[in-house]
C-alpha cells in the first residue's frame, strides 16, 4: 500500500501582525510551520504504516525553504519526500495547484497511489479546495472531513464529519481523503529520526521534471485573478469603558436593557 | 526574471520603497544596490508570493513597474454562458437555509447582470417533493433544474460532482453559487476542476459589474468575489475573467434570507434526466452527536477566547449563557488549545453567526473572527487589551478582566431572578 501525504508550509498566522500604517501583513519574524491540519493527515498515514506497512511519501509545493516541513515529516517516520518547486509555479490558484500536485503525485508514485491524504484546509488560504481538486485530476474517489480512516476488505472505511452528523462511508482505492484534527494526535519526531532526516535526500521537482503542460501551471493556469486588495472594513466601535467586576456587569446589563435583550 | 508576473525597470526604480508598502502580500522587498540610484537600493519581487494584483504598479511614482501581459487561456465561447445558478443543497428533503440566502443574493445579482439573465436553482435528490421545488421558486428562482435519481438519495461527493458538471456542460451557466457547507465545500471544489474554471471560497461580498478585462482590454460583466485573504488579514476581490462558469461559495448566514417574494407556481420546474456514474462510496450509517451544538442557530452567544486562560473557565461562560438563554461559542485559539470542541468555533474556519447578542470574553478579534460575527446585532466585548481589534466592532467595549466581569454578571442576573430575557 502506498500513501501520499500533501503538506504545506504556512506562516504561523496565530502570530501574524498587521502594520497599522499600511494595513498590510508584517512578514518579518513570522515563523513558518507545517500547516496544522496536515500534521493530522501525516499522522494518519504513519498509523497506516504502523498497522499495515504502508509506504508513506510526502509531497510539498512551495519555495526551497519548504523542505523544512518535509524533513520534519521524514523525522516522524515518512519514507521519502519530494519538493515541488519552481518559479514557474508562482501565482498558482487552486486549479493550477491541484494540477501541479497531481502531476507530482503521479511522478513520485509512477501512477496513482492507493491513498492521498490532505489536511482539511491550509490555515493561510483556508480554501479547502486543493484536496478535492487533486482527486479530480487523479480520477480518484473523494472523501472529505475524515475523523478516522481504516483499511477494510481491500478498501477503506472512513468516518466523515458532515453538518448533519458523522457519516461512515466505505469504498475502494484509489482515494483522496481530507483529514480533520479529531483524527489523531501527531507524534513527536524521535531524535534519531531528526538526525537522519537532516541528511536525507529530498528530490526537487520542477515543471520539466513533472512534464507539466505550461498552460496549466502558475499564473497562466489560474482562472482566478486577484484584482484588488484592501484593508478589512472597519466598523466604528461603540462606547468603551475601563471597568471590571460589578461596574462592568452594570454597564453590560444597561446595554442589554437598552437593546431590548433583557427586560427592563 | 521572466516568470515573475511583474517587471521592475531597474533604470526607473529610485529605491523609494513605496511599492513595498503598497503590496498586500509581502511579495516586494528592497535590496541593496550601491550606485544604481541615489538611495542605492532596488525593489525586487518574490514571484511565489506575487498575486499579480498590480497594486505596486499604481503605487510606484516612477512608473518602474509594469505587469507582464499574459496570453489568454480560457473557456471557449464565453458569450454562450448565461444565467445565474444557485446550488440548492438538501438533505432528507430539507433545503439548507443557505440556499435561500443565496437565492436572495441571486435576485440582486440578476438585476445587476441585466436583461436576459435568469436566476435558476439546482437541486439534486430522490423523490423530492413538489413543495421543496416550489419553495425555491418562491425564494426567487425563475427556473429549477431538478435531478431526481436513486443514486442521489444520500449525498455522495463523486455522484454530486458528476451531476452538476453534466448540468454545467448542458446549460452553460455564467455564475454558480453554493453554500460553503461541509457538502458545498467538498464537491463544488471538484466540480470547478472538472469543468476547468475558477472557484472562490467563502466570499463575503458579491456583485456583478461591468469591468475591463486586463488581458483582453474588453469590457465584461464580471462577478466580483470578495473574501478575506492571506490568513484573513486583508480583503481580496477576485474575478474569473476568462473562464466560465464563475464559481463561488458563501458561508451560511453571510447573506440575509429575504421573505419569499414570488408566486410559487410562477417558475418553471425542469426535470433533468442524466446518466450518472455509480456512487464511489457506500454510506454505512449516520450517527448524530447529541451533544453537537449549532452555534449559528442561537440568538444569544456567550463566547470565550484565549483570554479565558484555562478550559475550566468556560464553565463560568456556560453558566452565564444559560442565564441569558443562549449558548457558548469560542474563538479558534480555544479549539486549537483543546479547550472547546470544534462545533462551537466562530469565525472564518468555524461558523458564521448572526445572533441578536454576541457577548465575548478574552477575544482579541482577529479578522477571521470578526468576519464570522459581522451579522451580529449587538456585540459586547470584554478584554484586558485596550487595543484589541474586537473593540473596533463592539457596541460596548469593556477594558477589564474577563472572569471577574463574567462572575459579576452571573451574580447580577441571579439577583434579578434568573433569565429575564425580553
Amino acid at each position: 500500500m502506498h500513501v501520499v501525504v500533501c503538506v504545506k508550509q504556512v506562516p504561523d498566522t496565530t502570530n501574524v501582525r498587521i502594520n497599522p500604517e499600511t494595513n498590510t501583513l508584517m512578514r518579518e519574524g513570522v515563523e513558518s510551520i507545517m500547516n496544522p491540519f496536515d500534521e493530522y493527515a501525516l499522522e494518519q498515514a504513519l498509523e497506516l504504516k504502523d498497522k499495515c506497512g504502508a509506504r508513506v511519501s510526502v509531497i510539498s509545493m512551495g519555495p526551497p525553504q519548504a523542505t523544512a516541513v518535509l524533513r520534519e515529516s521524514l523525522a516522524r517516520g515518512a519514507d521519502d519526500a519530494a519538493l515541488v518547486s519552481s518559479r514557474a509555479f508562482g501565482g498558482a490558484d487552486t486549479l493550477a495547484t491541484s494540477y501541479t500536485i497531481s502531476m507530482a503525485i503521479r511522478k513520485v508514485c509512477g501512477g496513482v497511489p492507493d491513498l492521498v491524504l490532505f489536511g482539511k484546509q491550509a490555515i493561510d488560504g483556508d480554501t479547502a479546495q486543493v484536496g478535492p481538486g487533486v482527486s479530480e485530476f487523479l480520477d480518484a474517489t473523494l472523501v472529505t472531513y475524515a475523523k478516522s480512516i481504516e483499511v477494510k476488505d481491500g478498501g477503506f472505511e472512513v468516518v466523515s464529519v458532515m453538518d448533519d452528523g458523522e457519516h461512515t462511508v466505505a469504498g475502494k482505492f484509489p482515494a483522496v481523503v481530507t483529514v480533520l484534527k479529531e483524527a489523531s494526535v501527531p507524534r513527536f519526531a524521535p531524535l534519531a529520526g531528526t538526525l537522519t532526516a537532516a541528511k536525507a535526500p529530498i528530490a526537487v521537482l520542477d515543471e520539466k521534471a513533472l512534464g507539466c503542460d505550461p498552460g496549466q501551471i502558475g499564473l497562466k493556469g489560474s482562472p482566478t485573478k486577484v484584482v484588488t486588495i484592501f484593508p478589512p472594513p472597519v466598523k466604528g466601535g461603540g462606547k468603551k469603558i475601563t471597568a471590571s467586576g460589578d461596574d462592568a456587569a452594570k454597564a453590560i446589563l444597561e446595554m442589554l436593557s437598552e437593546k431590548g435583550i433583557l427586560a427592563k | 526574471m521572466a516568470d515573475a508576473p511583474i517587471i521592475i525597470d531597474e533604470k526607473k526604480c529610485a529605491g523609494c520603497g513605496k511599492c513595498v508598502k503598497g503590496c498586500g502580500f509581502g511579495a516586494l522587498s528592497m535590496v541593496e544596490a550601491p550606485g544604481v540610484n541615489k538611495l542605492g537600493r532596488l525593489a525586487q519581487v518574490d514571484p511565489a508570493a506575487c498575486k499579480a494584483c498590480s497594486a505596486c504598479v499604481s503605487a510606484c511614482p516612477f512608473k518602474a513597474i509594469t505587469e507582464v501581459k499574459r496570453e489568454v487561456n480560457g473557456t471557449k465561447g464565453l458569450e454562450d454562458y448565461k444565467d445565474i445558478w444557485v446550488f440548492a443543497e438538501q438533505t432528507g428533503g430539507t433545503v439548507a437555509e443557505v440556499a435561500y440566502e443565496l437565492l436572495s443574493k441571486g435576485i440582486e445579482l440578476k438585476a445587476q447582470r441585466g436583461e436576459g439573465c435568469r436566476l435558476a436553482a439546482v437541486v439534486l435528490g430522490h423523490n423530492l417533493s413538489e413543495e421543496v421545488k416550489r419553495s425555491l421558486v418562491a425564494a426567487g428562482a425563475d427556473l429549477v433544474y431538478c435531478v431526481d435519481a436513486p443514486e442521489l438519495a444520500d449525498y455522495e461527493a463523486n455522484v454530486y460532482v458528476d451531476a452538476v458538471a453534466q448540468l454545467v456542460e448542458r446549460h452553460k451557466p455564467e455564475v454558480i453559487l453554493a453554500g460553503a457547507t461541509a457538502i458545498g465545500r467538498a464537491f463544488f471544489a471538484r466540480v470547478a476542476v472538472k469543468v476547468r474554471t475558477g472557484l472562490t471560497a467563502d466570499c463575503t461580498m458579491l456583485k456583478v459589474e461591468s469591468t475591463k478585462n486586463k488581458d483582453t482590454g474588453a469590457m465584461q460583466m464580471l462577478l466580483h468575489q470578495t473574501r478575506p485573504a492571506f490568513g484573513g488579514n486583508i480583503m481580496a476581490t477576485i474575478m474569473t475573467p476568462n473562464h466560465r462558469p464563475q464559481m463561488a461559495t458563501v458561508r451560511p448566514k453571510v447573506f440575509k434570507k429575504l421573505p419569499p417574494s414570488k408566486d410559487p407556481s410562477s417558475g418553471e420546474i425542469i426535470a433533468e434526466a442524466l446518466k450518472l456514474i455509480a456512487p464511489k462510496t457506500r454510506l454505512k450509517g449516520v450517527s448524530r452527536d447529541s451533544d453537537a451544538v449549532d452555534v449559528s442557530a442561537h440568538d444569544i452567544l456567550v463566547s470565550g477566547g484565549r483570554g479565558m486562560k484555562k478550559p475550566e473557565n468556560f464553565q463560568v461562560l456556560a453558566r452565564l449563557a444559560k442565564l441569558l438563554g443562549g449558548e457558548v461559542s469560542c474563538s479558534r485559539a480555544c479549539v486549537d488549545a483543546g479547550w472547546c470542541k470544534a462545533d462551537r468555533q466562530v469565525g472564518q474556519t468555524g461558523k458564521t453567526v448572526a445572533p441578536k447578542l454576541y457577548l465575548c470574553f478574552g477575544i482579541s478579534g482577529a479578522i477571521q473572527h470578526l468576519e464570522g460575527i459581522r451579522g451580529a446585532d449587538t456585540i459586547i466585548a470584554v478584554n484586558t487589551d485596550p487595543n484589541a481589534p474586537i473593540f473596533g466592532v463592539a457596541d460596548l467595549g469593556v477594558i477589564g478582566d474577563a472572569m471577574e466581569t463574567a462572575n459579576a454578571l452571573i451574580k447580577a442576573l441571579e439577583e434579578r431572578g434568573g433569565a429575564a430575557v425580553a
Side-chain angles (χ1 to χ4, degrees):
Chain A
M1 185 181 186
H2 194 174
V3 183
V4 174
V5 188
C6 299
V7 297
K8 185 179 184 187
Q9 189 179 47
V10 296
D12 187 354
T13 50
T14 49
N15 296 322
V16 160
R17 284 169 309 137
I18 303 287
N19 181 335
E21 272 174 42
T22 59
N23 252 316
T24 54
L25 200 77
M26 292 167 74
R27 279 198 158 191
E28 299 79 26
V30 177
E31 214 187 323
S32 286
I33 55 168
M34 186 189 298
N35 176 41
F37 292 110
D38 299 346
E39 294 201 51
Y40 311 118
L42 175 64
E43 181 58 32
Q44 275 293 309
L46 295 174
E47 283 172 18
L48 289 171
K49 179 180 177 175
D50 295 343
K51 275 187 226 155
C52 30
R55 172 184 159 198
V56 176
S57 302
V58 185
I59 290 176
S60 186
M61 180 167 158
Q65 53 271 33
T67 44
V69 297
L70 293 171
R71 292 204 188 280
E72 174 62 26
S73 308
L74 290 171
R76 290 190 200 180
D79 296 293
D80 49 88
L83 178 71
V84 182
S85 189
S86 164
R87 285 189 184 279
F89 298 142
D93 72 358
T94 54
L95 177 64
T97 302
S98 300
Y99 168 74
T100 307
I101 290 177
S102 72
M103 291 298 280
I105 292 170
R106 285 178 191 275
K107 174 80 182 176
V108 165
C109 306
V112 178
D114 302 299
L115 185 60
V116 180
L117 300 180
F118 285 84
K120 76 156 181 168
Q121 67 199 65
I123 60 165
D124 57 347
D126 278 335
T127 69
Q129 281 167 216
V130 173
V134 167
S135 77
E136 175 59 31
F137 279 114
L138 295 179
D139 197 18
T141 297
L142 170 65
V143 182
T144 48
Y145 306 122
K147 70 175 262 192
S148 74
I149 304 170
E150 273 182 81
V151 175
K152 257 190 186 172
D153 314 320
F156 61 82
E157 188 170 300
V158 167
V159 177
S160 168
V161 180
M162 303 301 287
D163 292 334
D164 66 338
E166 295 181 354
H167 293 208
T168 304
V169 298
K172 300 264 174 260
F173 298 120
V176 171
V177 180
T178 71
V179 178
L180 292 178
K181 179 179 182 165
E182 288 79 357
S184 54
V185 180
R187 66 191 66 187
F188 288 103
L191 181 60
T194 307
L195 294 175
T196 321
K199 284 179 254 160
I202 290 179
V204 179
L205 304 169
D206 63 10
E207 68 281 14
K208 288 187 194 75
L210 298 179
C212 288
D213 166 8
Q216 292 194 64
I217 59 171
L219 270 179
K220 201 170 162 193
S222 300
T224 59
K225 315 280 178 207
V226 177
V227 180
T228 43
I229 50 166
F230 56 95
V234 187
K235 179 184 156 190
K239 209 162 66 174
K240 236 160 86 167
I241 58 163
T242 303
S244 282
D246 292 339
D247 292 344
K250 192 164 165 257
I252 292 171
L253 288 176
E254 272 169 18
M255 171 68 78
L256 294 183
S257 305
E258 192 186 304
K259 295 281 181 184
I261 296 165
L262 274 186
K264 284 190 182 156
Chain B
M1 216 180 291
D3 298 321
I6 56 162
I7 295 172
I8 299 163
D9 186 337
E10 299 189 356
K11 290 195 188 82
K12 288 186 185 165
C13 177
C16 69
K18 285 202 171 129
C19 55
V20 177
K21 281 189 186 157
C23 177
F25 298 96
L28 285 155
S29 55
M30 302 306 293
V31 284
E32 296 302 318
V36 170
N37 49 39
K38 264 191 202 160
L39 294 166
R41 48 185 207 163
L42 281 173
Q44 74 167 13
V45 59
D46 171 4
C50 178
K51 301 282 180 201
C53 73
S54 77
C56 55
V57 175
S58 28
C60 176
F62 306 99
K63 297 188 167 42
I65 305 178
T66 44
E67 222 182 322
V68 178
K69 281 279 164 244
R70 290 184 300 268
E71 205 181 303
V72 179
N73 181 8
T75 310
K76 290 196 175 62
L78 289 193
E79 57 290 336
D80 296 340
Y81 287 77
K82 291 193 164 69
D83 296 344
I84 294 169
W85 287 12
V86 168
F87 176 73
E89 175 182 330
Q90 66 81 28
T91 35
T94 307
V95 176
E97 280 293 295
V98 67
Y100 298 116
E101 293 160 14
L102 292 177
L103 282 168
S104 299
K105 189 69 184 181
I107 294 172
E108 207 179 291
L109 297 176
K110 181 178 94 169
Q112 290 166 357
R113 183 65 184 89
E115 212 168 309
C117 175
R118 297 176 301 175
L119 178 62
V122 174
V123 62
L124 312 179
H126 188 44
N127 294 330
L128 289 165
S129 72
E130 190 65 13
E131 200 187 335
V132 160
K133 299 170 204 168
R134 291 289 163 195
S135 77
L136 298 169
V137 174
D142 300 312
L143 58 163
V144 178
Y145 293 110
C146 177
V147 187
D148 198 306
E151 299 94 306
L152 296 167
D154 293 306
Y155 166 72
E156 206 281 331
N158 306 281
V159 185
Y160 265 48
V161 170
D162 187 41
V164 173
Q166 286 193 45
L167 290 179
V168 167
E169 274 161 36
R170 188 178 284 181
H171 298 291
K172 299 188 188 305
E174 192 172 26
V175 168
I176 323 183
L177 311 177
T181 59
I183 288 178
R185 288 193 120 201
F187 93 95
F188 212 55
R190 184 163 173 170
V191 171
V193 169
K194 198 174 184 75
V195 305
R196 299 288 193 274
T197 190
L199 167 63
T200 307
D202 296 347
C203 296
T204 54
M205 286 180 253
L206 290 173
K207 66 174 177 186
V208 174
E209 210 172 76
S210 181
T211 312
K212 190 172 178 180
N213 183 319
K214 283 206 284 181
D215 297 319
T216 63
M219 293 306 285
Q220 283 173 298
M221 290 300 276
L222 288 179
L223 182 68
H224 293 225
Q225 309 159 104
T226 302
R227 76 182 299 257
F230 211 60
N233 294 293
I234 208 153
M235 304 296 289
T237 300
I238 294 162
M239 289 183 217
T240 306
N242 305 315
H243 296 70
R244 292 295 175 275
Q246 303 164 79
M247 295 174 67
T249 65
V250 178
R251 297 156 58 86
K253 297 272 181 185
V254 168
F255 295 138
K256 273 219 153 51
K257 173 187 171 181
L258 303 174
S261 59
K262 272 180 70 170
D263 172 5
S265 64
S266 63
E268 194 184 347
I269 311 268
I270 301 166
E272 289 283 338
L274 299 178
K275 195 173 176 326
L276 295 169
I277 59 161
K280 295 286 176 84
T281 60
R282 190 164 49 85
L283 182 62
K284 294 181 76 176
V286 178
S287 72
R288 286 174 179 84
D289 178 1
S290 49
D291 297 340
V293 178
D294 180 6
V295 290
S296 69
H298 288 269
D299 275 343
I300 290 177
L301 289 174
V302 177
S303 205
R306 201 196 297 271
M308 293 303 292
K309 297 199 175 86
K310 49 187 178 183
E312 300 81 63
N313 286 342
F314 272 85
Q315 286 162 15
V316 176
L317 297 192
R319 177 96 197 95
L320 180 56
K322 202 172 170 203
L323 282 167
L324 287 167
E327 235 339 314
V328 172
S329 58
C330 68
S331 69
R332 179 184 203 148
C334 303
V335 175
D336 288 348
W339 298 352
C340 298
K341 279 171 69 180
D343 54 342
R344 293 188 188 264
Q345 185 188 326
V346 167
Q348 184 72 8
T349 51
K351 286 259 169 60
T352 300
V353 297
K356 286 202 181 89
L357 170 66
Y358 191 75
L359 172 56
C360 59
F361 296 88
I363 289 181
S364 63
I367 176 69
Q368 294 99 320
H369 193 81
L370 300 187
E371 276 304 315
I373 60 173
R374 240 161 36 128
D377 289 340
T378 301
I379 298 172
I380 301 179
V382 184
N383 203 303
T384 46
D385 174 9
N387 297 317
I390 190 81
F391 291 134
V393 301
D395 297 279
L396 173 63
V398 177
I399 303 157
D401 184 81
M403 287 312 292
E404 263 180 49
T405 304
N407 280 314
L409 257 176
I410 289 173
K411 203 178 85 196
L413 284 166
E414 279 172 347
E415 279 165 11
R416 284 174 61 107
V421 181

